Amino acid sequence: MIDDAIRVLAGDCTVIAEADDRSEYRGRVTTIVKPDNTVLVHDIDGYQPVAWLTRADSVSSDRAGDFTLVAKKDTQTLRIAAHEQDGFAHYPASAAGTPVGTCQNENCDGELVRSKGVHCVDCGTRYGIPTDATIKDDQSYCDCGLPRMRVERGLAFDVCLDRNCESLDEAVREAFDREWDCPESNCDGDLRILRRGGLIAGCEHYPECDTGFAMPAGVVDGECGCGLPTFETHGGTRCLDATCDRAVARHVEAASDD
């Protein structure tokens, strides 16, 4: 189980790494055990660890007398035994990221940082946000005190980091729910804005009609030859239906007319 702490062990140690072969080292080293159970053993030379084990299945340690540590993953084993212990410490840790604001939880004024979402470095509160979201840097804050983010899903929406305060889903639904017809020839349904893992435009007659399209990260800029909308994205113009090539064909034809 991952805990939010980094363990540091230092001393005169014997380090034994066993996998397809066996390697043994002796020296004054510092061992770092990261929260994901990655073990790194560093000596004085260079930046590369003397030995390491990435995301071990288990890490056990014994501090009776001088410390010992054993990390295992599949057929790999890393053993560290201290002959003389210089130190053992257990430090709280969090992901590091770009500062974006101040935590608004009661009795907490910790820094909010962006790193695989947004989280507070003090209390650990986390906000899941789309990977393409831009945190606004113009001092634009929600009434709750949190910064706003800009997300493009058909339009550019400015909403709160906290979806319980302002919902991106609701904003997209208000703008595009039933805006487009289901493209299936034998279906008279409308496309509804739904969350199915991510935001999709899916037929209202599901499961009889299972037509559905992920909402692209972009802004609606026209209509595709198939009748669905086109989106201007970072990768260029594309149809709501990612498998449709008529948006590209329409773009090429328009360019050739110039």
Side-chain angles (χ1 to χ4, degrees), residues 20-156:
D20 296 333
D21 54 7
R22 182 181 187 277
S23 301
E24 182 173 331
Y25 310 92
R26 171 73 184 266
R28 287 196 176 274
V29 296
T30 298
T31 298
I32 298 172
V33 183
K34 299 177 68 176
D36 66 352
N37 276 354
T38 292
V39 182
L40 306 171
V41 184
H42 287 278
D43 68 352
I44 198 173
D45 290 330
Y47 66 88
Q48 179 113 0
V50 173
W52 66 91
L53 192 56
T54 304
R55 294 182 179 271
D57 295 326
S58 65
V59 178
S60 58
S61 59
D62 185 356
R63 295 185 60 194
D66 289 321
F67 69 78
T68 60
L69 182 144
V70 179
K72 295 183 177 182
K73 181 178 182 179
D74 299 327
T75 60
Q76 304 174 76
T77 302
L78 182 61
R79 306 176 190 276
I80 298 107
H83 305 283
E84 182 180 343
Q85 179 175 318
D86 293 326
F88 180 95
H90 192 271
Y91 299 110
S94 74
T98 304
V100 296
T102 303
C103 183
Q104 297 300 305
N105 280 352
E106 187 177 0
N107 301 321
C108 183
D109 58 359
E111 192 76 28
L112 292 175
V113 300
R114 180 171 186 175
S115 176
K116 295 181 180 178
V118 172
H119 69 270
C120 175
V121 299
D122 286 352
C123 71
T125 295
R126 294 177 181 268
Y127 302 96
I129 66 172
T131 56
D132 61 297
T134 301
I135 306 298
K136 302 196 69 178
D137 57 3
D138 59 356
Q139 304 300 309
S140 176
Y141 295 100
C142 180
D143 290 343
C144 70
L146 290 173
R148 294 180 182 275
M149 61 179 176
R150 171 159 292 193
V151 185
E152 293 184 350
R153 293 294 184 274
L155 293 172

Side-chain angles (χ1 to χ4, degrees), residues 203-247:
C203 182
E204 65 176 321
H205 294 320
Y206 179 85
E208 288 78 14
C209 177
D210 62 359
T211 298
F213 311 101
M215 286 290 291
V219 176
V220 171
D221 70 344
E223 183 175 295
C224 181
C226 71
L228 291 172
T230 57
F231 289 72
E232 184 63 33
T233 72
H234 290 297
T237 299
R238 56 152 288 188
C239 180
L240 175 63
D241 179 357
T243 66
C244 178
D245 59 2
R246 297 177 71 178

